[in-house]
Amino acid sequence: MTTDTTTTAPPDPAPSAPRSPRALAWQRRRRSVARFWRQYRTHRTGVVGLAALVLFALVALTAPLTIGSDVQSVTEAPGRPMEGPSGQFWFGTDQYGRDLLRLVLWGSRVSLTVGLLAAVLSVAIGALVGITAGHFRGWYATVIMRVTDWFLVMPTLVLAIALATVMSRSLSTIILAIGVTTWPTTARLVRAQTLAVESRPYIERARALGGGHAHIMSRHVLPNVMPLVLAQTTLGISNAILSEATLAFLGLGDPTITSWGGLLQDAREAGAVSSGHWWYLVPPGLAIAAVALAFTLCGRAVESVLNPKLGVAR
Amino acid sequence: MAAESTPALAGSPAHAADGPAAAGPSARGPRAGNTVAYLRYVAGKLVGAAVSLLAVLVTGFFLFRLIPGDPVKFMTGGRQVSAEQLAAYRREFGLDLPLWQQFTDYCGKALTGDLGTSYQFNTPVIDKIGEALPNTLLLTGTAFVLYSVIGVALGTRAAWRSGGAGDRFHTGLALTLFSVPSFWLGLMLIIVFSVGMGPIPGLFPTGGMESGNAHGFGHVIDVVHHLVLPVITLVAVQYGETLLVTRSAVLDEMGSDYLTTARAKGLRDDLVRRRHAVPNAMLPTMTLIFVNLGRVVAGTVLVETVFSWPGLGGLFYEALSVPDLPLVQGLFLVFSAAVILMNTLADLIYPLLDPRVGR
């Protein structure tokens, strides 16, 4: 999301004429994004992570053109079952004779989709709960923070497994199960930040000028907690990708869609472990680890740009 | 077999809990005047824990009622049974009562320690849990002690020489292993070290907890032999979190004046780290360690499933697929209660470790 900022980076040296408040606000935002990118660039691991992500995103987006959705078809499999790696099938074939390389590339679509959507859902719930709990004090905040604390002590994976079992097998179930169980950390962080923001004088000024609850929360508090929310989302995605793989591995995913966790489950069911077919297991697992690591590296770089005290290695 | 392994493992989790608790009395000394404030703080935390436990009780009941599938159909195993027999089954397990009455029965019984009867095994749930608990504690308890110690030790060293080659290596390795799915690492270890790959022979068993024909000391060796791979898996995926939290906590203390003072009075670098920096940086790490301690009871659904370890995590997954409602509910209750109790314990101990907390 930050790649396109290089083109907009050089800020206008001197605005020739007074502009509308909106234009000024946009100019200010552009400048802070450019500043963010300049600092982000100095984190070598963050840049590596970002490059890896761009690569994965390209693979996932172009998969329908380069691979074609017939890759999942069991009846039109190109090879014999359980072939080892060869010139024709670099990663070998699965128990139906499908090409594992293409299946792994195709699986990136599910992992990235679920990872992104689940993390966005989780952070959106967390931000909403956090901001409202920090803005409205009194019984509402007490009740909602009790609920948050309660979710916080629940064993997350156990709860997600339970939810995925209760609902029908589909991608949206997985997204929901992950999103609904992982928001409390964000809610706590956002609430703390909201409390800090709301104690500043300009909030009092906005209130004195007649700003309502919705105005203050969306125009004054939200922009200030946005960096935190962004960092949380990036870090949350790698968590969500791992959870998706876990749920799919336990057989709770959509059985008709190829995902990395699902491939590992297939491998285990086909007896790839006891027969020592390591080449079946290695690519999906490495792919999960690589994407999760890339998002973690980006998240840490974002976090340390916004909070330099963390001392993340560059 | 469960009984035999109990004494061996009773030491490990209890020890870990003893550590901070033992530090209590000495720290309490100077704060004797604030006993009332501390007691009020304790009361608040205990009430909060009780509310959380009640909420868990309620959730455990209603959440799992939503699982599709008729348990009675499972119990009859697809055999042809008459309507009367079905009704008899329903009566036996209380499934013919209205939902609210099932709920009050369940609450009343749960408070007296009766978690119902498993549909699947037809034994009391509490017995089933009691059987699997020692196995889980043995596996996750061992792993917990190892990854906590390794994480804290490596984390403090990484922070002490932050930016150096060692720091970069350990942080990078921890982040990488942290991103690896535990079940995949387990499967890979099984392929390489159990099934054997290339020149490596099968060194370790593929799963389970014992081979079943050894006694006495031979049995202990056998269990340890089965324990190696699952423990390595758990430690590898878990130590990174402790390492990173410890590292950033120590980094926070790095520029502090009291460290300069300690150095100025001629203390060796090693002592400055161990006696001054680490104790002050331990609070965030303690939080994480207590959270992990609560998770020890929940075990790990994945690692236990992959290694066919006869523990609570594997049992939970097995029970969910039936669905064996009383067993699932009971396990959910035990898992959540363990986390709540450990968090409460942590809350009670913090003010003793750090007087700034709970004021």
Side-chain angles (χ1 to χ4, degrees), chain A residues 155-172:
Chain A
T156 314
L157 183 64
V158 167
L159 198 60
I161 292 176
L163 280 175
T165 314
V166 167
M167 294 184 283
S168 62
R169 300 267 181 286
S170 72
L171 273 194
S172 40

Side-chain angles (χ1 to χ4, degrees), chain B residues 113-144:
Chain B
D114 177 3
L115 296 173
T117 306
S118 158
Y119 298 158
Q120 203 178 354
F121 303 100
N122 218 350
T123 49
V125 167
I126 198 86
D127 291 357
K128 212 58 208 165
I129 293 179
E131 231 170 72
L133 183 64
N135 304 342
T136 285
L137 291 182
L138 175 64
L139 172 61
T140 41
T142 312
F144 166 78

Side-chain angles (χ1 to χ4, degrees), chain B residues 20 51-52 95 101-102 125 135 148 162 176 266 284 288 306 313 345 348:
Chain B
V51 172
S52 295
L95 289 168
Q101 205 170 341
Q102 286 186 36
V125 167
N135 304 342
S148 298
S162 84
T176 309
L288 181 67
V306 165
L345 192 63
L348 299 188

Side-chain angles (χ1 to χ4, degrees), chain A residues 56 104 260 264 281-293, chain B residues 179-181 184:
Chain A
F56 272 107
V104 168
W260 292 333
L264 288 173
L281 287 157
V282 169
L286 282 186
I288 297 168
V291 173
L293 182 62
Chain B
S179 310
V180 169
W184 179 73

Side-chain angles (χ1 to χ4, degrees), chain A residues 118-169:
Chain A
V120 166
L121 176 67
S122 154
V123 171
I125 301 175
L128 187 70
V129 168
I131 291 178
T132 49
H135 181 80
F136 300 107
R137 316 283 166 83
W139 65 268
Y140 170 81
T142 314
V143 169
I144 206 143
M145 287 324 283
R146 266 257 138 250
V147 174
T148 308
D149 282 349
W150 174 81
F151 263 101
L152 210 52
V153 299
M154 286 285 142
T156 314
L157 183 64
V158 167
L159 198 60
I161 292 176
L163 280 175
T165 314
V166 167
M167 294 184 283
S168 62
R169 300 267 181 286

Side-chain angles (χ1 to χ4, degrees), chain B residues 162-251:
Chain B
S162 84
D167 176 32
R168 281 207 305 271
F169 172 75
H170 280 297
T171 314
L173 186 65
L175 279 173
T176 309
L177 285 173
F178 193 50
S179 310
V180 169
S182 61
F183 57 89
W184 179 73
L185 187 62
L187 292 177
M188 291 314 293
L189 287 178
I190 291 179
I191 285 195
V192 177
F193 294 108
S194 299
V195 178
M197 197 177 120
I200 307 169
L203 294 172
F204 294 97
T206 50
M209 200 176 83
E210 54 194 349
S211 306
N213 43 19
H215 296 283
F217 187 65
H219 181 251
V220 175
I221 296 287
D222 186 38
V223 171
V224 169
H225 193 209
H226 283 79
L227 202 56
V228 173
L229 290 187
V231 165
I232 290 180
T233 310
L234 281 174
V235 170
V237 296
Q238 296 265 10
Y239 86 99
E241 200 178 7
T242 315
L243 185 153
L244 294 174
V245 170
T246 309
R247 179 179 175 277
S248 66
V250 173
L251 272 183

